[in-house]
């Protein structure tokens, strides 16, 4: 009896190891199924898509009267200087294909149109590529015209191409509900045909570097294969494989966006710690005295006149930026800091006159917003739209049945 008990005790460690291995395999299997089975964060990626496309659209519209000085032929950074810089750093910009004013106006107009369509989620896969091309082309044409917000848009424009950011709150999602597929209709093949023709011209004319040539070729081929499989084998194994690959790329892209936001705040916070003005709590005072950063001089004077407020805002900015990357795994603390940072960016937009930088950072922060809040926000927005539509219908019906004749005011 004692020998059997001893053998049983000897087997216990081995059984525990086997059980631990089984649990680890089961957990790994669940994690793999979670990552490959669906695109995570559909609402967060949709908010990022809408936020960045809207920010870039508002910027292009605001600077429309100054477009020639910023990125066009009338700018201080001439076409020759831009050409020399692009040859040295191999940046991508289609504005280097020609120095004609017509080509510049066409690229600018396409950038505006792609921003609108990406924000609405129309043919999102193609529009994300066109949006990226527009952002890179304009920003790389005049690299000294941007700020931190432009750098964020620059990066996020490339990351959005990797994501399935139109699963909700998009015209593509609406088409998929009504017609069974987001790629239904002839607009998609026509659009990709035009993009393919432009890509072929750029390839033949040696307008692309080898890296961009491979990237655009891969995008075009993958999207063409996706359309064919979605049309002729929507329920087959090929479509299942493509869905798994698309989910993997989307989830990796979303992870990169999150890591990028954390890196931005971490580097900004730790660099601030090294500055003497941030250490003594007076850093915010100095930009409030510059004309360029004082759209509201009276408000800036009120803030700068309080040493305590300046110190609290300076120290609070550093503390929030340094702490945020360490709190992303704690929902409550992360959500509190997220709200504080969004309020901070709203304050920067008003107080320092940097609205587009603030919009870009708020759009980047939105990737961490809780799903429940975004769902609630979507429901509220849809109810407001339905209420507005219901209120407009009776007014239109009353106008339609009203007798012809002059209005009482005319009488």
């Amino acid at each position: 009896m004692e020998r059997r008990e001893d053998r049983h005790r000897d087997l216990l460690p081995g059984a525990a190891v086997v059980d631990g291995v089984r649990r680890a395999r089961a957990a790994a299997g669940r994690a793999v199924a979670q990552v490959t089975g669906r695109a995570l964060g559909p609402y967060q990626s949709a908010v990022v898509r809408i936020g960045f496309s809207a920010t870039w659209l508002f910027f292009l519209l605001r600077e429309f009267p100054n477009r020639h000085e910023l990125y066009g032929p009338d700018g201080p950074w001439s076409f020759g200087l831009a050409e020399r810089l692009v040859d040295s750093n191999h940046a991508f910009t289609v504005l280097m294909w020609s120095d004609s004013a017509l080509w510049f106006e066409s690229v600018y107009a396409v950038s505006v149109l792609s921003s609108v369509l990406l924000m609405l989620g129309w043919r999102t896969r193609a529009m994300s590529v066109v949006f990226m091309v527009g952002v890179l082309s304009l920003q790389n044409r005049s690299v000294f015209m941007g700020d931190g917000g432009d750098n964020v848009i620059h990066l996020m424009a490339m990351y959005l191409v990797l994501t399935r950011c139109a699963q909700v709150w998009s015209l593509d999602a609406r088409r998929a509900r009504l017609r069974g597929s987001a790629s239904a209709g002839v607009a998609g093949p026509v659009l990709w045909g035009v993009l393919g023709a432009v890509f072929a011209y750029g390839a033949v004319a040696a307008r692309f570097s080898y890296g961009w040539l491979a990237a655009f070729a891969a995008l075009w081929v993958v999207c063409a294969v996706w359309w064919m499989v979605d049309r002729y084998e929507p329920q087959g194994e090929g479509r299942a494989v493509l869905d798994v690959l698309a989910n993997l790329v989307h989830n990796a892209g979303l992870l990169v966006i999150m890591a990028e936001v954390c890196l931005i705040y971490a580097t900004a916070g730790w660099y601030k710690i090294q500055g003497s003005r941030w250490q003594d709590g007076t850093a915010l005072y100095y930009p409030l005295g510059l004309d360029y950063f004082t759209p509201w001089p009276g408000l800036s004077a009120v803030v700068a006149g309080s040493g305590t407020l300046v110190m609290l805002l300076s120290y609070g900015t550093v503390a929030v930026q340094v702490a945020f990357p360490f709190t992303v795994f704690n929902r409550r603390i992360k959500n509190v800091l997220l709200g504080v940072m969004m309020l901070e960016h709203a304050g920067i937009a008003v107080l320092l006159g940097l609205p587009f930088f603030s919009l870009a950072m708020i759009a980047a922060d939105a990737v961490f917003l809780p799903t429940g809040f975004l769902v609630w926000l979507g429901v509220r927005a849809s109810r407001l739209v339905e209420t507005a539509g219901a209120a407009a219908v009776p007014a239109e019906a009353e106008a339609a049945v009203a007798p012809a004749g002059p209005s009482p005011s005319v009488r």
Side-chain angles (χ1 to χ4, degrees):
M1 179 66 72
E2 292 179 357
R3 292 180 179 178
R4 290 181 181 179
E5 291 178 355
D6 292 339
R7 289 180 181 178
H8 184 64
R9 292 193 189 98
D10 294 338
L11 290 176
L12 282 178
V17 171
V18 172
D19 185 60
V21 171
R22 289 177 180 175
R23 291 182 179 180
R25 288 180 177 178
R30 288 192 298 269
V32 171
Q34 184 79 354
V35 172
T36 61
R38 65 189 183 95
L40 302 175
Y43 293 95
Q44 287 80 359
S45 58
V47 170
V48 171
R49 182 198 86 231
I50 295 170
F52 279 103
S53 57
T55 301
W56 185 242
L57 173 64
F58 296 154
F59 175 79
L60 294 179
L61 294 179
R62 177 181 180 270
E63 299 297 339
F64 185 80
N66 308 313
R67 64 191 184 281
H68 291 166
E69 288 76 15
L70 286 175
Y71 305 114
D74 299 335
W77 193 250
S78 65
F79 185 86
L81 291 174
E83 195 171 32
R84 290 171 57 185
L85 181 61
V86 169
D87 288 339
S88 63
N89 62 11
H90 305 291
F92 173 78
T93 170
V94 298
L95 287 178
M96 292 294 98
W97 291 12
S98 173
D99 60 349
S100 69
L102 178 61
W103 177 244
F104 168 76
E105 297 291 355
S106 301
V107 173
Y108 201 93
V110 170
S111 298
V112 172
L113 181 61
S114 64
S115 300
V116 174
L117 296 179
L118 182 63
M119 183 174 60
L120 297 176
W122 184 82
R123 305 291 173 178
T124 310
R125 182 61 59 208
M127 282 304 108
S128 64
V129 176
V130 179
F131 176 78
M132 178 190 69
V133 170
V135 170
L136 298 185
S137 296
L138 291 173
Q139 291 187 354
N140 290 335
R141 167 62 177 83
S142 300
V143 294
F144 300 109
M145 294 297 179
D147 55 20
D150 293 311
N151 294 335
V152 176
I153 295 175
H154 191 105
L155 294 172
M156 296 301 173
M158 292 186 286
Y159 299 154
L160 279 175
V161 176
L162 305 176
T163 63
R164 307 181 75 174
C165 54
Q167 291 185 314
V168 296
W169 298 344
S170 68
L171 295 178
D172 286 350
R174 180 176 180 273
R175 187 185 310 110
R177 289 194 304 268
L178 297 178
R179 306 180 65 176
S181 173
S183 61
V186 298
V190 171
L191 182 60
W192 280 106
V194 173
L195 293 179
V198 174
F199 168 74
Y201 166 77
V204 172
R207 302 293 187 179
F208 297 111
S209 63
Y210 292 114
W212 285 108
L213 181 65
F216 284 119
L219 281 172
W220 198 92
V221 171
V222 168
C223 290
V225 171
W226 184 282
W227 181 84
M228 292 179 63
V229 172
D230 192 47
R231 183 177 180 86
Y232 298 107
E233 197 182 9
Q235 305 297 331
E237 294 182 358
R239 175 56 193 270
V241 172
L242 289 178
D243 273 326
V244 169
L245 295 177
N247 291 337
L248 282 172
V249 173
H250 165 89
N251 295 330
L254 201 62
L255 180 62
V256 170
I257 291 175
M258 293 179 176
E260 185 70 36
V261 175
C262 292
L263 183 62
I264 290 172
Y265 284 120
T267 53
W270 286 105
Y271 271 110
K272 285 182 175 68
I273 288 178
Q274 302 176 44
S276 59
R277 295 295 176 262
W278 290 100
Q279 292 175 7
D280 58 28
T282 62
L284 184 60
Y285 173 81
Y286 298 97
L288 293 175
L290 301 175
D291 293 338
Y292 184 79
F293 293 109
T294 53
W296 311 98
L299 181 60
S300 299
V302 170
V303 176
S306 174
T308 303
L309 182 58
V310 169
M311 182 188 67
L312 291 176
L313 291 176
S314 299
Y315 285 157
T317 298
V318 175
V320 169
Q321 290 181 348
V322 172
F324 180 76
F326 300 100
T327 64
V328 292
F329 298 105
N330 188 304
R331 291 185 178 182
R332 294 182 178 179
I333 301 178
K334 181 261 295 181
N335 291 338
V336 171
L337 291 185
L338 197 59
V340 171
M341 288 192 301
M342 288 185 173
L343 290 176
E344 175 189 347
H345 291 306
I348 291 174
V350 175
L351 194 62
L352 300 181
L354 298 172
F356 300 108
F357 166 79
S358 298
L359 285 175
M361 291 308 303
I362 290 174
D365 294 342
V367 74
F368 291 104
L369 287 174
T371 302
F373 170 75
L374 293 176
V375 172
W376 174 84
L377 192 64
V379 171
R380 295 289 297 176
S382 62
R383 287 179 180 176
L384 289 176
V385 172
E386 291 175 359
T387 303
V393 170
E396 295 176 356
E398 182 179 353
V401 301
S407 64
S409 60
V410 176
R411 294 178 185 175

